[in-house]
Every structure is written in structure tokens, then in C-alpha cells.
């Protein structure tokens, strides 16, 4: 089932995460998913279910991959819960591309609409009626009322919705104890809160269990028809990508043989953003993936032949990152391939808000008051570790920082561009989903096997 809402701030994350935790507490194996490029909510989903939180994004990976990626993530599960993004029909620009409705259609899944009932009663029926009839291809199977003020308030809302013919599957009272702390880019990632995040998820599960009809929700999920797609496979994705590149440009990069190179992936509180499929693709390409924490570890993992530094909040830990001189020096001198996105780009710069970083890239980064957010249809301007000149990449930007650097950016798109790249480095603000570009993993692993990758 897909958990959606008329608008952001209605309580989707509360209901979706709480529902995942409540169903798991009932003994069900729950598969967690999130519409869109967001990294933060899946961290809470993972705590609630004990399985990796996975993203479903038709823009980043293509429409054709949504169902296969869903089936890959949901393998062995009893029920799947998909948290939507923004309002049900809000997509890229003035379309519903990559919207919650778009994904619901691709999965043929019923939608549970979370409605913030505060400051209204009978009007909730008009809201639900509009959303239920706006697109007949999207099936709204029920409603969860959020922020209900009293028994009388709930009775009025239920009565209005009964007349509209849409079942109420839950009514959640106002409860400030279940709020999740946030800051400049949304919720604080679960990996930064650890025990507090676990407790928050437990509270959400208890809240949904006592406020919603779990049996009715599971029955609704069971009305979703079987999907006709095949589950996504990282190994198959790499084979298909290599075949396509061979057809287009000649022999593709080789996976090599012999030893499995170690790919060191940044983690810890400062680097919490990443898609589960990236590590799966790296392993399928022949690498061993080992996580390191730039806040705590004084050196890269033993034998590291490549480094991946994803997104996160390095600006919140700039002083601590700057203080880890041994690791910064090692990364600055590292002769193997490095792939970095957003936070990783900042870490590779000379400085971040005047705190010295690794200095791998001749650029400076600083916080800004402006939020940069949106999908990008980008073109690579030249070859680099992961890119080839002229290739198109679909990515997503999400940051409140700016990087000052000289030279032609690695990526260009309408109205902008950014990034640094050479034979051993690809670093930019763009978040990419490698399931939509599997050769990124293969190119990194192949490069890590070359003599120049030895430290």
C-alpha cells in the first residue's frame, strides 16, 4: 500500500513509519519504500522494519525500473509499505512525473490518504473526494485522519467521510511526544540520533497500533494485483549495461578477475545518505564494500582501492572532520578512484566554512541561506572516473551550501552546472541513483583494479 497525503506536513512519515513498526510488531515481514530521492525517511523505515529502506523514483531510475526495484526490495516480505512524497499528485515541475500518484500507478497499489484534520471537520470529505476522483487511475482505498482533537471531532469527520464512501482506517490524536526533530534540510537522520531514533520509532509504532485498524490496512494491501515485472538484479543490470555500451561504443569496461578490490564507503553521522543498490552493484561488479567513519577512523580501511563518499551533513560536523588530520592527509594523497556526491564533494574541497577539509579538489565550500533543491537533467562535459563526455545523467540536488571552483564544471544542465572530474575522481552536488546508471559501479571497480589505484 502507498501512504500519501494532500500536502507535505500532513503526517505521511508518522503514519508510514508507525505502520511499518506496528506491522512488524505483529510478526509480519515488512518491506519499506520511499517515493522520490529522499535519504532521511528510509533511515527511519529501516529501524522500523529491520530491512534496508529503498527508494522508488521514476525520474532517477526510469519508469521501467520502479516495479523491478520494488520487487527486489520486497523479496521475502509479507507486506510492503510505500511512503509518498509531497502531495499525492505533486511531481517534477508542473507534471505528476515522479509523484506519489505516478509510483502508485506503476505499482497498481492502493493509496491510503493521510489527512490533517486539524481546524476542519466536514470539509475533510470534500478534500478526500477531490483526491479520490482527480485521477481515476489512482485508487484511494482509505483515509487515516491525523491530528484529531477530540471524540466529537473524530465523529464529525467519520460521518462526513462515510457519506463520501471512503472508509476511515485510522484516527490519530494530536501527540507532540511523537514529533521528530528537524533542521535546515528536514528531519535529522536516524543515524545521528541512534537510541533516540529507536525510541521515536517505537512510539510511532505504538501510536499507529492503537489508532489504526491494522487488519483493514493489511486487507487493503492484499488487493494490489501481482506485478508482471521481474525483480531487479544488480548482476543482470551490469550485464545489460555492458552490452548496451558495447553496442554503442565498442568493448565496455571489464570487470576483471582475481582479487576483489576493497571499496571504502563513508558512513557515520556526517555521511548518512546512500542508496542500498549502490553497495549491491559494487559487490556484483566484483568489489568488497567496507564502511569507514570520517569522524572517528584515522585511516581508510586496510587495502582500500577505491573510495565512495556520499551525501549527508558535513556542515554539522565540520570542526570534527577538520580535526581528523591523518584521514584527511590519506585521502588527499590517495591514488585510487574516488566518487563523491554533495557532502562528499564538500569533504574533498580545501575548506568548508573555513574549516580545512581534504584539499583533494581546488575549491572552497560554505553554507548559504538559499536552499538548492530539484531534479536535474545533466550532461557530462568531459570524461571522468564515472562519466563519459556527452552522456546524460538524471540527478537531484539538495543542499544549502555553495562551492567556489575555477574551470569548466563536470556537469551542465539548463540554468546551471557543477562538479569536478578527472580520470580518478568524479565529484559533484548531483545525487545519482546507480540503478539507473549501473556502469557507474563497474567503472569505479574496474578503475580500482588498475596499477594507479595502489596507494
Amino acid at each position: 500500500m502507498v501512504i500519501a497525503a494532500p500536502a507535505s506536513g500532513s503526517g505521511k512519515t508518522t503514519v508510514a513509519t508507525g505502520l511499518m513498526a506496528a506491522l512488524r510488531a505483529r510478526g509480519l515481514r515488512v518491506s519499506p519504500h520511499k517515493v522520490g530521492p529522499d535519504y532521511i525517511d528510509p533511515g527511519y523505515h529501516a529501524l522500523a522494519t529491520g530491512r534496508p529502506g529503498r527508494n522508488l523514483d521514476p525520474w532517477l531510475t526510469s519508469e521501467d525500473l520502479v516495479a523491478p526495484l520494488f520487487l527486489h526490495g520486497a523479496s521475502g516480505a509479507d507486506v510492503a509499505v510505500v511512503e509518498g512524497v509531497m502531495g499525492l499528485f505533486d511531481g517534477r515541475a508542473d507534471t505528476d512525473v515522479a509523484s506519489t500518484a505516478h509510483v502508485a500507478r506503476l505499482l497498481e497499489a492502493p493509496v491510503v490518504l493521510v489527512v490533517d484534520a486539524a481546524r476542519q471537520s466536514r470539509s475533510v470529505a470534500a478534500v478526500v473526494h477531490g483526491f479520490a476522483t482527480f485521477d481515476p487511475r489512482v485508487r484511494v482505498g482509505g483515509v487515516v485522519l491525523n491530528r484529531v482533537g477530540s471524540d466529537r471531532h473524530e465523529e464529525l469527520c467519520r460521518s462526513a467521510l462515510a457519506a463520501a464512501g471512503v472508509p476511515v482506517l485510522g484516527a490519530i490524536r494530536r501527540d507532540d511526544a511523537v514529533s521528530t526533530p528537524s533542521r535546515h534540510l528536514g528531519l535529522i537522520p536516524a543515524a545521528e540520533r541512534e537510541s533516540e531514533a529507536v525510541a521515536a520509532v517505537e512510539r510511532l509504532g505504538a501510536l499507529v497500533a492503537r489508532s489504526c485498524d491494522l487488519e483493514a490496512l493489511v486487507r487493503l494491501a492484499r488487493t494490489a494485483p501481482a506485478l508482471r515485472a521481474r525483480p531487479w538484479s544488480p548482476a543482470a543490470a551490469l550485464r545489460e549495461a555492458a552490452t548496451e555500451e558495447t553496442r554503442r561504443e565498442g568493448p565496455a569496461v571489464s570487470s576483471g578477475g582475481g582479487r576483489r578490490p576493497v571499496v571504502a564507503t563513508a558512513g557515520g553521522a556526517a555521511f548518512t545518505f546512500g542508496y542500498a543498490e549502490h553497495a549491491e552493484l559494487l559487490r556484483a561488479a566484483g568489489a568488497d564494500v567496507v564502511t569507514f567513519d570520517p569522524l572517528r577512523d584515522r585511516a581508510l580501511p586496510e587495502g582500500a582501492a577505491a573510495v565512495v563518499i556520499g551525501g549527508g551533513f558535513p556542515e554539522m560536523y565540520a570542526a570534527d572532520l577538520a580535526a581528523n588530520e591523518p584521514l584527511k592527509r590519506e585521502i588527499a594523497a590517495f591514488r585510487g578512484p574516488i566518487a563523491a556526491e554533495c557532502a562528499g564533494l564538500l569533504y574533498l574541497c580545501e575548506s568548508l566554512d573555513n574549516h580545512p577539509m581534504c584539499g583533494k579538489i581546488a575549491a572552497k565550500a560554505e553554507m548559504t541561506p538559499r536552499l538548492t533543491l530539484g531534479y536535474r537533467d545533466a550532461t557530462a562535459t568531459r570524461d571522468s572516473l564515472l562519466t563519459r563526455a556527452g552522456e546524460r545523467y538524471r540527478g537531484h540536488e539538495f543542499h544549502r551550501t555553495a562551492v567556489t571552483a575555477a574551470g569548466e564544471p563536470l556537469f551542465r544542465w539548463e540554468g546551471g552546472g557543477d562538479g569536478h572530474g578527472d580520470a580518478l575522481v568524479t565529484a559533484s552536488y548531483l545525487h545519482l541513483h546507480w540503478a539507473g546508471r549501473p556502469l557507474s559501479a563497474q567503472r569505479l571497480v574496474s578503475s580500482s583494479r588498475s596499477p594507479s589505484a595502489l596507494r
Side-chain angles (χ1 to χ4, degrees):
M1 73 193 96
V2 175
I3 308 300
S8 296
S10 300
K12 288 191 305 294
T13 300
T14 294
V15 173
T17 307
L19 179 58
M20 292 172 190
L23 294 176
R24 185 188 185 193
R26 293 288 181 95
L28 294 176
R29 294 166 296 181
V30 184
S31 181
H33 305 265
K34 170 68 180 181
V35 176
D38 174 57
Y39 295 96
I40 299 177
D41 291 343
Y44 288 92
H45 297 171
L47 288 179
T49 64
R51 297 166 68 105
R54 295 180 184 270
N55 296 69
L56 301 171
D57 192 314
W59 170 259
L60 290 182
T61 65
S62 85
E63 281 189 338
D64 293 342
L65 280 177
V66 168
L69 285 168
F70 169 82
L71 291 171
H72 170 70
S75 176
D78 299 307
V79 62
V81 178
V82 181
E83 180 185 343
V85 61
M86 299 188 295
L88 176 57
F89 298 104
D90 298 328
R92 184 172 185 265
D94 61 350
T95 74
D96 80 341
V97 172
S99 68
T100 304
H102 189 186
V103 171
R105 292 197 304 268
L106 292 171
L107 297 179
E108 301 180 60
V111 171
V112 176
L113 197 67
V114 179
V115 178
D116 184 348
R119 296 183 297 278
Q120 60 179 321
S121 56
R122 192 164 180 266
S123 293
V124 299
V127 172
V128 173
H129 174 77
F131 275 82
T133 58
F134 183 76
D135 184 346
R137 299 171 298 171
V138 177
R139 176 164 58 99
V140 175
V143 173
V144 170
L145 300 167
N146 192 28
R147 300 182 65 203
V148 174
S150 64
D151 289 344
R152 178 58 176 163
H153 185 201
E154 179 179 340
E155 179 184 337
L156 291 171
C157 292
R158 284 183 176 273
S159 176
L161 286 164
V166 181
V168 176
L169 303 178
I172 299 175
R173 297 299 170 91
R174 298 190 186 104
D175 188 346
D176 294 335
V178 301
S179 63
T180 303
S182 60
R183 58 175 176 233
H184 57 278
L185 291 181
L187 297 182
I188 296 177
E192 294 188 44
R193 301 177 63 213
E194 298 181 351
S195 61
E196 295 93 336
V198 172
V201 168
E202 290 177 351
R203 289 194 298 271
L204 291 176
L207 175 68
V208 169
R210 68 174 180 265
S211 305
C212 298
D213 187 339
L214 298 183
E215 288 76 17
L217 284 161
V218 172
R219 286 197 300 271
L220 177 64
R222 286 176 177 153
T223 66
L227 292 171
R228 293 173 290 278
R230 291 184 178 181
W232 179 81
S233 158
L238 287 169
R239 288 194 300 271
E240 292 170 8
T243 299
E244 176 60 27
E245 182 159 284
T246 299
R247 187 163 48 240
R248 188 175 62 248
E249 300 179 6
V253 291
S254 169
S255 62
R259 67 180 181 89
R260 292 179 64 86
V262 172
V263 176
T265 301
F271 299 96
T272 57
F273 296 1
Y275 297 126
E277 291 82 3
H278 287 200
E280 292 169 347
L281 282 164
L282 288 169
R283 294 188 186 101
D288 291 329
V289 179
V290 179
T291 301
F292 71 101
D293 185 348
L295 288 173
R296 300 178 181 178
D297 295 330
R298 310 293 281 178
L300 290 171
E302 183 177 358
V307 176
V308 175
I309 312 174
F313 289 99
E315 64 269 25
M316 304 303 298
Y317 303 93
D320 293 328
L321 290 169
N324 191 348
E325 289 286 354
L327 181 62
K328 289 193 308 177
R329 285 196 299 268
E330 183 176 2
I331 291 176
F334 188 70
R335 291 162 49 201
I338 300 178
E341 289 185 351
C342 200
L345 167 68
L346 305 182
Y347 186 53
L348 294 183
C349 286
E350 296 171 341
S351 64
L352 170 56
D353 271 354
N354 296 318
H355 294 283
M357 294 289 114
C358 296
K360 189 75 172 179
I361 295 174
K364 299 180 186 299
E366 60 182 10
M367 290 291 293
T368 70
R370 176 175 175 267
L371 173 63
T372 300
L373 172 68
Y375 288 119
R376 304 288 181 252
D377 189 354
T379 301
T381 61
R382 61 184 179 276
D383 290 0
S384 74
L385 170 66
L386 302 185
T387 67
R388 301 295 178 263
E391 287 182 337
R392 293 181 64 180
Y393 290 80
R394 286 186 166 189
H396 184 261
E397 278 193 285
F398 183 52
H399 57 90
R400 284 190 184 272
T401 57
V403 170
T404 302
E408 173 74 3
L410 177 62
F411 293 104
R412 284 283 189 189
W413 56 83
E414 184 178 355
D418 86 84
H420 172 90
D422 58 35
L424 287 176
V425 175
T426 297
S428 83
Y429 272 121
L430 287 184
H431 292 289
L432 304 174
H433 198 306
W434 287 2
R437 178 70 72 165
L439 280 177
S440 295
Q442 189 63 75
R443 286 169 177 169
L444 186 141
V445 172
S446 296
S447 180
S448 73
R449 286 195 169 99
S450 69
S452 62
L454 300 177
R455 289 185 288 147

